[in-house]
């Protein structure tokens, strides 16, 4: 291990405070464990270990490599034997569950094209390659995810001391949350804990919200990641706990309004400008400075860039027809493409405190 990484600890890897970059390759690049480890150890650090926070898939794949070395088992076999089976999660894994084709959700891109199932993508014989292995790509069911939360609550797979470490607010994130070991911890307005994590690949999306002190678990899974799923489970939570909250649905024929004034309108105008067309470096800079940290970490930067490039291709030069306000934090930006004359509806969620984009989806025009 090179000198700049020799003092990195398991704790730092678990809390995204080791300084590794977010990714060092595409999810489906054919790279084995040793080649991945060599590349990671030679990658420049973003900051001195222990002196910052950056959500990184690299760190969790390195943790998976450590699991394999220490246990002498493959990562999936170790999970299956030591954690998943004892927790009653019999339909969770890469390849070890007896998946039939009909059991696996088929993903679709936001323009309706078939993306396929996870194990139809470029995988090794025993699961994903190492840019994805141990940090994502695992398949499960809503029932299994509920069983996993219950197993942690009941100390079925980890003793009470380990569970306390798992959910301790170790490192502060932007947006008021803290990161534990693989979980984000929020304080609710009621003074209770919300323990949560999501995952997505730009096509599929999953979210787990555990209101640990109030006996409520919400599990959401979708094969339509780009269509506003990021906020759905949180809206369910608000429906349960906030008697004043009523979810709203925007009707297609709702009258259009002018863009709002102030930071929200400025953000929507900036989004429109980038959709008009921009080079890669400008698009990447926009993403880094305009997306909220939670949305930004939902998927690798490369996938965000790809999503914006697809909007630039599909919509391109356009006029802003107006906006529809779903609620104080959510808008439908209605754009008319100059080339195709089609009207596209871009769903945009903006964080209340700074109007950063916290969710984005596109309904393509017919």
């Amino acid at each position: 291990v090179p000198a700049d990484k020799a003092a990195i600890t398991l704790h730092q890897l678990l809390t995204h405070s080791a300084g590794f970059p977010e990714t060092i390759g595409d999810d489906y690049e054919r790279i084995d464990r040793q080649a991945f480890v060599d590349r990671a150890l030679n990658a420049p650090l973003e900051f001195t270990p222990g002196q910052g926070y950056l959500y990184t898939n690299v760190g969790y794949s390195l943790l998976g490599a450590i699991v394999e070395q220490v246990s002498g088992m493959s990562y999936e076999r170790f999970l299956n034997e030591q954690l998943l089976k004892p927790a009653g999660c019999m339909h969770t894994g890469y390849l070890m569950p007896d998946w039939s084709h009909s059991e696996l959700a088929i993903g679709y891109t936001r323009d309706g094209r078939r993306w396929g199932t996870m194990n139809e993508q470029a995988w090794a014989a025993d699961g994903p390659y190492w840019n994805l292995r141990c940090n994502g790509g695992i398949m499960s069911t809503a029932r299994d995810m509920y069983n996993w939360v219950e197993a942690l609550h009941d100390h079925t797979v980890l003793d009470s001391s380990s569970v306390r470490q798992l959910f301790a607010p170790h490192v502060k994130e932007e947006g008021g949350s803290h990161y534990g070991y693989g979980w984000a911890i929020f304080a609710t307005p009621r003074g209770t804990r919300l323990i949560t994590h999501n995952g997505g690949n730009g096509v599929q999306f999953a979210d787990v919200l555990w209101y640990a002190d109030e006996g409520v678990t919400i599990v959401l899974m979708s094969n339509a990641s780009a269509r506003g799923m990021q906020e759905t489970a949180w809206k369910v939570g608000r429906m349960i706990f906030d008697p004043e909250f009523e979810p709203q649905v925007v009707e297609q024929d709702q009258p259009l309004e002018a863009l709002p004034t102030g930071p929200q309108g400025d953000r929507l105008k900036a989004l429109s400008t980038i959709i008009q067309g921009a080079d890669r470096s400008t698009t990447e800079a926009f993403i880094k400075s305009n997306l909220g940290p939670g949305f930004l970490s939902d998927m690798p930067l490369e996938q965000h860039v790809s999503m914006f490039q697809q909007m630039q291709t599909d919509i391109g030069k356009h006029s802003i027809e107006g906006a529809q306000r779903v609620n104080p934090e959510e808008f439908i930006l209605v754009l008319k493409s100059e080339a195709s004359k089609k009207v596209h509806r871009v769903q945009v969620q903006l964080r209340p405190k700074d109007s950063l984009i916290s969710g984005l989806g596109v309904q393509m025009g017919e």
Side-chain angles (χ1 to χ4, degrees):
V1 179
D4 65 330
K5 303 177 182 72
I8 289 175
T9 65
L10 296 176
H11 172 84
Q12 290 166 350
L13 291 174
L14 286 162
T15 56
H16 300 296
S17 60
F20 283 104
E22 182 182 2
T23 61
I24 53 173
D26 182 77
D27 281 353
Y28 306 110
E29 177 188 359
R30 299 174 186 273
I31 185 170
D32 63 20
R33 190 182 82 186
Q34 190 58 55
F36 173 85
V37 171
D38 291 344
R39 186 186 296 178
L41 294 182
N42 284 296
L45 293 176
E46 301 291 329
F47 51 81
T48 301
Q51 299 301 308
Y53 170 88
L54 177 65
Y55 192 96
T56 167
N57 290 329
V58 177
Y60 268 72
S61 289
L62 288 174
L63 286 164
I66 293 168
V67 167
E68 291 198 344
Q69 287 194 334
V70 172
S71 69
M73 301 181 187
S74 71
Y75 173 72
E76 183 179 13
R77 181 166 294 279
F78 182 86
L79 288 188
N80 188 264
E81 293 183 5
Q82 301 296 320
L83 299 170
L84 298 175
K85 281 186 177 178
C89 300
M90 308 305 291
H91 289 82
T92 300
Y94 292 131
L95 294 176
M96 292 190 71
D98 183 20
W99 303 116
S100 72
H101 181 76
S102 62
E103 286 184 302
L104 298 181
I106 298 171
Y108 293 89
T109 62
R110 60 183 178 80
D111 59 358
R113 289 182 291 109
R114 187 185 189 280
W115 181 84
T117 64
M118 282 301 302
N119 61 5
E120 289 177 354
Q121 311 310 309
W123 275 18
D126 58 347
Y129 292 100
W130 277 82
N131 282 321
L132 180 60
R133 189 178 300 214
C134 312
N135 69 64
I138 204 161
M139 296 178 284
S140 189
T141 65
R143 170 59 63 180
D144 267 17
M145 288 295 92
Y146 175 77
N147 288 345
W148 178 245
V149 169
E150 289 297 290
L152 294 175
H153 174 265
D154 297 337
H155 305 147
T156 303
V157 293
L158 294 173
D159 61 27
S160 58
S161 175
S162 296
V163 171
R164 281 196 298 272
Q165 285 184 283
L166 195 72
F167 298 136
H170 296 296
V171 177
K172 188 175 182 179
E173 299 182 292
E174 292 185 23
S177 62
H178 288 77
Y179 208 80
Y181 288 166
W183 292 89
I185 297 96
F186 290 80
T188 73
R190 301 172 301 282
T192 59
R193 292 173 301 159
L194 169 58
I195 299 172
T196 180
H197 214 293
N198 63 25
N201 60 5
V203 177
Q204 296 155 325
F205 179 77
D207 213 346
V208 176
L209 278 68
W210 179 28
Y211 294 88
D213 304 314
E214 296 166 290
V216 172
T217 302
I218 299 169
V219 180
L220 175 145
M221 293 181 176
S222 173
N223 62 350
S225 177
R227 295 183 174 89
M229 286 295 107
Q230 287 84 353
E231 298 298 318
T232 301
W234 292 73
K235 288 181 179 179
V236 174
R238 288 188 65 184
M239 290 166 65
I240 294 170
F241 293 108
D242 182 356
E244 303 299 322
F245 176 70
E246 291 188 18
Q248 297 175 334
V249 177
V250 175
E251 300 297 334
Q252 294 281 353
D253 56 356
Q254 178 177 323
L256 296 181
E257 304 173 4
L259 296 190
T261 58
Q264 289 181 325
D266 293 342
R267 193 78 65 189
L268 294 174
K269 291 175 185 176
L271 173 63
S272 167
T273 299
I274 211 73
I275 294 174
Q276 297 272 9
D279 59 30
R280 181 187 171 89
S281 61
T282 303
T283 300
E284 189 170 313
F286 173 86
I287 291 169
K288 290 180 178 178
S289 60
N290 286 270
L291 269 58
F295 185 34
L296 190 60
S297 66
D298 273 349
M299 56 188 180
L301 176 63
E302 183 61 35
Q303 292 184 18
H304 281 292
V305 172
S306 177
M307 178 177 69
F308 275 86
Q309 289 175 331
Q310 190 66 51
M311 285 192 287
Q312 291 162 354
T313 298
D314 293 341
I315 302 175
K317 297 289 185 181
H318 61 265
S319 60
I320 300 177
E321 299 295 288
Q324 296 172 335
R325 184 186 292 267
V326 181
N327 57 52
E329 305 166 17
E330 187 173 340
F331 296 85
I332 303 293
L333 186 61
V334 182
L335 309 177
K336 185 175 182 179
S337 173
E338 290 184 3
S340 67
K341 306 303 180 183
K342 293 180 178 179
V343 175
H344 309 284
R345 296 158 57 83
V346 183
Q347 181 183 20
V348 189
Q349 290 148 353
L350 302 174
R351 293 204 316 181
K353 71 174 187 175
D354 51 20
S355 295
L356 288 176
I357 297 171
S358 62
L360 190 63
V362 179
Q363 181 180 334
M364 303 303 295
E366 297 297 331

